[in-house]
Amino acid sequence: MVFAAIVLVPMLLLAARGPALVLPSNETREQIYNLACSKGLSGGSLAERELIWRRRSLVEVSHPIRVVLASQPYDIPWGYYASRPSPTSFNCPPRNVANLQYWIPSLDMPEAEIIYSGATNRPKERARPNPGPDESVVEAFWIVGYDDDRSHGRRSIEWLKGARQLDGRSPGSVEEHGLWHTVVPIGSLQMTYWYKFGPGEDVVIECYAPFQRCEGVDLKDLRMYARLSFDQDAIPQHQVIVDGLRTLLSRWRTSN
């Protein structure tokens, strides 16, 4: 009786769990592109992790992912995403925020997601084994339309202008790289700002001492707020960074 119970209980527990998850093993690229919208797999098991890797390895970096920004649709190539979407999201309703990565000045897509490249903005790649001093990767943590901006980026720009006295007439402001430059003490820290304001864009670059990463821009004519991140030594290329983002968005804009 004891032996029977030892055998029976595990069997009952297995039955209660329901049927085992059957994972596909021979999906084609076209099947992956047509997966139903879902949250995807958890990646909790080895088989799930292998399936996730296999699916992602079959996705072409040029595969378009639909995004709607400021009521305008864009088809952004999968490889330009800083965090490349899961194939199980390809057929979900279009998202209203994009997180991007691109090389300057070429505007190429990085070969891999920048978050996996050793936290450097100059990752060594097959086509670019030794990036030049004017080459680096810009990250757009998010780009959102004003109407969809959950973090009120536009209002943040307006607040910074007043709270940090970002005005070329302010004491201590100097011109540098075509921008105004000032250092603002905030408690025990010093925040460094480069900025300019115009009809098409507001550029407010905020650098956090002692870190060398900087961020921030506002594309007013497109009604978009973009939180860009790049190294401080790329500040002289600020117009290349902003114009590059505009160029990419114009390439990806679609009418249907």
Side-chain angles (χ1 to χ4, degrees):
M1 289 293 290
V2 174
F3 175 77
I6 292 174
V7 174
L8 183 59
V9 170
M11 292 179 63
L12 290 173
L13 290 174
L14 287 173
R17 293 176 184 170
L21 179 64
V22 178
L23 300 176
S25 59
N26 58 350
E27 290 173 313
T28 65
R29 175 176 288 153
E30 195 61 30
Q31 287 174 316
I32 290 171
Y33 288 166
N34 287 285
L35 288 170
C37 174
S38 73
K39 293 182 179 180
L41 301 168
S42 66
S45 69
L46 177 60
E48 287 178 326
R49 290 194 296 272
E50 289 179 346
L51 177 58
I52 292 170
W53 177 86
R54 185 165 65 249
R55 283 175 169 174
R56 293 176 69 87
S57 69
L58 288 175
V59 177
E60 298 167 296
V61 292
S62 60
H63 184 68
I65 307 297
R66 175 62 57 92
V67 174
V68 176
L69 302 171
S71 302
Q72 171 63 47
Y74 296 83
D75 285 336
I76 300 177
W78 187 70
Y80 272 98
Y81 280 85
S83 180
R84 293 171 180 171
S86 165
T88 58
S89 71
F90 287 176
N91 294 299
C92 292
R95 60 191 70 197
N96 60 6
V97 59
N99 64 317
L100 308 177
Q101 56 181 9
Y102 57 97
W103 278 97
I104 58 169
S106 67
L107 306 186
D108 296 334
M109 68 174 71
E111 292 178 3
E113 293 168 285
I114 191 69
I115 57 175
Y116 299 122
S117 62
T120 175
N121 73 328
R122 290 185 175 87
K124 294 185 177 181
E125 299 181 341
R126 291 187 299 273
R128 194 180 275 101
N130 295 295
D134 66 334
E135 294 183 297
S136 61
V137 174
V138 175
E139 297 174 76
F141 289 134
W142 38 259
I143 302 173
V144 288
Y146 284 177
D147 296 339
D148 300 320
D149 187 358
R150 291 166 292 180
S151 62
H152 309 293
R154 176 64 198 156
R155 280 182 282 178
S156 297
I157 291 284
E158 294 294 341
W159 180 85
L160 278 173
K161 287 170 67 174
R164 304 291 185 255
Q165 298 181 351
L166 302 184
D167 189 320
R169 297 184 300 268
S170 300
S173 296
V174 297
E175 287 190 81
E176 191 174 277
H177 311 306
L179 301 169
W180 288 103
H181 174 212
T182 189
V183 177
V184 180
I186 302 176
S188 60
L189 299 177
Q190 285 191 332
M191 302 293 285
T192 305
Y193 293 93
W194 282 265
Y195 55 93
K196 69 176 181 179
F197 305 106
E201 67 205 25
D202 285 348
V203 177
V204 178
I205 301 172
E206 188 175 39
C207 301
Y208 301 86
F211 305 110
Q212 295 299 306
R213 296 292 279 180
C214 305
E215 60 186 49
V217 72
D218 180 24
L219 305 178
K220 293 192 292 188
D221 59 335
L222 298 181
R223 294 189 57 76
M224 293 183 196
Y225 180 76
R227 183 183 173 198
L228 306 182
S229 176
F230 44 88
D231 274 6
Q232 187 167 320
D233 60 9
I235 286 176
Q237 297 172 280
H238 63 88
Q239 204 60 52
V240 174
I241 292 171
V242 176
D243 290 346
L245 178 58
R246 290 179 180 282
T247 298
L248 290 172
L249 289 171
S250 68
R251 288 180 190 172
W252 300 330
R253 183 169 178 163
T254 182
S255 58
N256 53 25

